[in-house]
Amino acid sequence: AYDCNFRCPYCFESELSNKGLSWSGKTMTKEMVDHAYGAIESMEPDVNKCKTIGLYGGEPLLERNIEIVNYIVNKGVAKGHNFHAVTNGYDLNHFIGLLSENKINQLQITLDGPSQYHDKRRYLFDGSGTFQRITENITIALNQGVKISVRINSDQSAIHELEELSQFFEKNNWLTHRNFHASVAPIKELNILQEKNDIAFKNRSSFINSFLKKKSTNHIKGVEVSDLGIISKFKYVLATGKLIPFKSAFCGANTGMFLFDPFGDIYPCWDVVGQEYGKIGRYSPHLKINHESYNNWYGRNISTSEKCHKCKYAFYCGGGC
């Protein structure tokens, strides 16, 4: 569903709420789930190439959606799939039965700082704080053996809260779990509200520099920086003596990522779900692809971009978003 129990001020999907609750509250039916799996098998006959399926929203793991999520996961497991989810983590305790190595085995959950800071930015529709419930659920999921990737959305005010948040990770023994990972990302890239752009980072490089400077002078353990793989690529080169792996496209939106929404539509990218221009076809009641739109997305690579095909760094970045 497109529905969410949070009202985060920087959400890039917030404009979809203007369509009303009757629209955002719609969920998939079991019949639509069957159609989606049929479409996957038609578009990708060798399902071993698309073994992992992601649950996305809105908020995919709402308590009220337990029945349909169970149906999606159990049917997928029977077909050889496993799952990950991008979730706010608030209702996660209701899905414990699905948290395992062969079902939902990876979760991305956002914490924007210690409780007093997080609760000002990631709150329920009624304004209530969410930090305590989320962190309790993260501990539950880690104990289930699930991989947890904590995303920390940061601007120039939030980056000063990282030391306290890191200490919270350490106090709760999360850093001892090999399945725990945390990274900080610039909030500007989530289309923060214009009136708050004065505290957003101007670009990714200023964000990375601010984080690395903060980390070098403070007790920040277990938190990495979301830098599109730049640092890890250079570490790889220095450690192995090999070349940086080349790529001709930037992300899954150009190489075969498909999102199925509760209205029967297919999208190539999670940033454009619910928006008419982003549709590439339908999966329910029957699979139908808009080939012009499809080719606009999946035909994009460094050779089709005028700027990219002349750039000496093209195979390094893959052409960007």
Side-chain angles (χ1 to χ4, degrees):
Y2 286 104
D3 196 15
C4 183
N5 49 349
F6 280 27
R7 293 297 181 268
C8 309
Y10 54 65
C11 180
F12 67 85
E13 289 187 4
S14 58
E15 64 182 58
L16 296 179
S17 62
N18 294 331
K19 296 185 178 183
L21 288 175
S22 60
W23 183 88
S24 63
K26 183 177 176 60
T27 59
M28 280 186 175
T29 64
K30 291 181 179 180
E31 184 180 30
M32 295 178 78
V33 173
D34 295 341
H35 293 162
Y37 279 117
I40 290 172
E41 291 168 2
S42 296
M43 292 187 290
E44 185 55 82
D46 184 359
V47 295
N48 287 321
K49 291 183 179 179
C50 58
K51 204 71 169 170
T52 301
I53 295 176
L55 302 176
Y56 187 70
E59 170 49 46
L61 301 183
L62 289 172
E63 180 183 2
R64 66 178 177 83
N65 292 335
I66 288 177
E67 183 179 355
I68 193 64
V69 173
N70 266 290
Y71 185 78
I72 291 169
V73 173
N74 289 324
K75 188 178 182 72
V77 168
K79 290 177 173 290
H81 299 290
N82 56 61
F83 292 80
H84 65 84
V86 178
T87 173
N88 60 39
Y90 191 80
D91 283 345
L92 190 59
N93 53 297
H94 298 288
F95 293 84
I96 295 175
L98 294 179
L99 302 181
S100 65
E101 184 177 352
N102 68 330
K103 290 188 176 183
I104 301 176
N105 56 29
Q106 297 184 54
L107 298 168
Q108 178 183 300
I109 301 175
T110 299
L111 292 173
D112 277 357
S115 59
Q116 70 276 12
Y117 194 88
H118 171 97
D119 286 344
K120 291 179 180 178
R121 291 156 53 119
R122 297 187 65 79
Y123 42 82
L124 294 174
F125 61 90
D126 64 1
S128 302
T130 61
F131 183 87
Q132 182 174 346
R133 175 89 166 260
I134 294 171
T135 53
E136 289 172 354
N137 285 340
I138 289 175
T139 297
I140 291 172
L142 286 171
N143 291 336
Q144 291 286 112
V146 172
K147 293 181 180 179
I148 299 291
S149 176
V150 167
R151 179 183 174 112
I152 307 161
N153 296 318
S154 181
D155 54 31
Q156 294 188 57
S157 62
I159 203 164
H160 300 294
E161 308 290 334
L162 290 177
E163 182 175 2
E164 185 177 345
L165 185 60
S166 172
Q167 291 170 357
F168 179 87
F169 294 164
E170 196 169 15
K171 180 181 177 182
N172 284 270
N173 298 317
W174 291 356
L175 301 184
T176 64
H177 285 269
R178 61 184 179 86
N179 284 343
F180 179 79
H181 173 265
S183 63
V184 58
I187 205 170
K188 184 178 181 180
E189 300 210 348
L190 295 180
N191 300 332
I192 188 171
L193 300 176
Q194 288 296 315
E195 61 266 25
K196 295 189 177 182
N197 271 345
D198 58 328
I199 60 171
F201 290 101
K202 293 181 179 179
N203 51 51
R204 186 173 284 271
S205 62
S206 66
F207 157 72
I208 293 173
N209 288 334
S210 294
F211 171 77
L212 293 178
K213 182 178 180 181
K214 185 74 177 174
K215 188 171 184 178
S216 67
T217 57
N218 293 271
H219 180 76
I220 299 177
K221 295 175 63 178
V223 179
E224 299 176 4
V225 61
S226 177
D227 63 350
L228 304 181
I230 295 171
I231 293 176
S232 62
K233 286 178 181 178
F234 279 102
K235 282 183 177 180
Y236 171 82
V237 171
L238 294 172
T240 66
K242 297 179 180 180
L243 291 174
I244 292 174
F246 290 153
K247 58 182 181 179
S248 60
F250 182 71
C251 78
N254 306 134
T255 58
M257 180 168 68
F258 300 98
L259 288 95
F260 300 85
D261 86 346
F263 292 93
D265 295 315
I266 307 174
Y267 297 87
C269 170
W270 42 43
D271 281 3
V272 300
V273 290
Q275 301 180 53
E276 189 67 31
Y277 77 91
K279 293 179 184 179
I280 60 169
R282 290 186 60 78
Y283 69 90
S284 184
H286 306 290
L287 178 62
K288 184 176 182 181
I289 299 296
N290 180 326
H291 292 286
E292 181 180 0
S293 178
Y294 179 97
N295 291 331
N296 283 339
W297 287 91
Y298 300 113
R300 183 188 186 278
N301 55 55
I302 58 173
S303 70
T304 61
S305 167
E306 184 176 352
K307 291 182 179 180
C308 293
H309 77 258
K310 297 178 181 179
C311 175
K312 62 183 179 181
Y313 303 111
F315 280 107
Y316 173 72
C317 83
C321 180

